[in-house]
Every structure is written in structure tokens, then in C-alpha cells.
């Protein structure tokens, strides 16, 4: 089973076997997933979804000593990617890098 995501006002991450990955709901991720879901399927959208999937997987890995740095850097990258939607009504100043 391929990685899946579900977007409403929350995001639930699943690993490749369909098991839910733990983690708090992040409004930035929910916002960005929703914007990607509005896009036509393309290699660009697949690459951006892969960034979100990697973020979820690495941030859920509590045994990784580099987890905190990986999550902080990747979250900053996601904030930069989300700036293209700054005019969207659901975009907030908290999403700015």
C-alpha cells in the first residue's frame, strides 16, 4: 500500500503498510496538504508530498538522535513552500518562515 494522507482540518499520516504514524496535528501541514490536494497530479506535487511524508516519518522516529534538527529544518522548508499560498484565506502569519 502506498503512503496515504487524509486532509480535513487535520492530517493523519500512514506508513507504507497502512499503520497510522503518531504525532500531533500541525495546522501548517494540514494547510499545505490541502493546497497540494487542490493541484493537478504532477511530478512537482508528488515531490512536495514526498517531503511531507518524509517529515512525518522522520519526526515520528523518537529513537533518532537527529530527530529534532531534521524536524526543524524540514518544517522551515515546508514554510517556504507554503508561502506561494500566502494570499489564501486560511494562510496565517504563523506559517511564514
Amino acid at each position: 500500500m502506498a503512503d496515504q494522507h487524509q486532509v480535513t482540518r487535520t492530517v493523519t499520516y500512514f506508513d507504507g503498510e497502512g499503520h497510522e504514524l503518531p504525532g500531533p496535528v500541525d495546522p501548517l501541514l494540514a494547510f499545505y496538504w490541502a493546497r497540494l490536494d487542490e493541484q493537478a497530479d504532477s511530478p512537482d506535487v508528488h515531490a512536495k508530498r514526498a517531503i511531507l511524508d518524509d517529515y512525518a516519518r522522520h519526526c515520528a522516529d523518537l529513537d533518532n538522535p537527529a530527530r529534532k534538527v531534521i524536524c526543524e529544518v524540514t518544517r522551515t522548508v515546508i514554510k517556504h513552500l507554503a508561502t506561494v499560498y500566502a494570499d489564501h484565506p486560511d494562510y496565517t502569519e504563523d506559517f511564514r518562515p
Side-chain angles (χ1 to χ4, degrees):
M1 176 193 262
D3 287 341
Q4 298 178 18
H5 64 275
Q6 169 185 334
V7 177
T8 55
R9 293 301 292 162
T10 64
V11 176
T12 303
Y13 293 99
F14 298 90
D15 66 18
E17 297 176 6
H19 301 106
E20 187 172 339
L21 296 174
V25 172
D26 184 326
L28 170 66
L29 298 182
F31 172 82
Y32 195 60
W33 266 122
R35 301 299 68 78
L36 292 177
D37 283 347
E38 295 168 354
Q39 304 283 321
D41 203 25
S42 71
D44 182 62
V45 170
H46 282 279
K48 291 173 181 173
R49 286 180 180 152
I51 290 170
L52 295 178
D53 286 338
D54 286 348
Y55 175 83
R57 186 176 61 255
H58 292 299
C59 291
D61 183 2
L62 301 177
D63 295 327
N64 183 347
R67 176 183 172 266
K68 182 177 178 182
V69 172
I70 291 169
C71 294
E72 288 174 3
V73 170
T74 307
R75 193 170 200 306
T76 299
V77 168
I78 295 166
K79 283 184 169 191
H80 283 285
L81 291 170
T83 61
V84 300
Y85 303 108
D87 292 335
H88 191 279
D90 293 334
Y91 186 90
T92 71
E93 289 300 312
D94 293 339
F95 299 163
R96 291 209 181 277

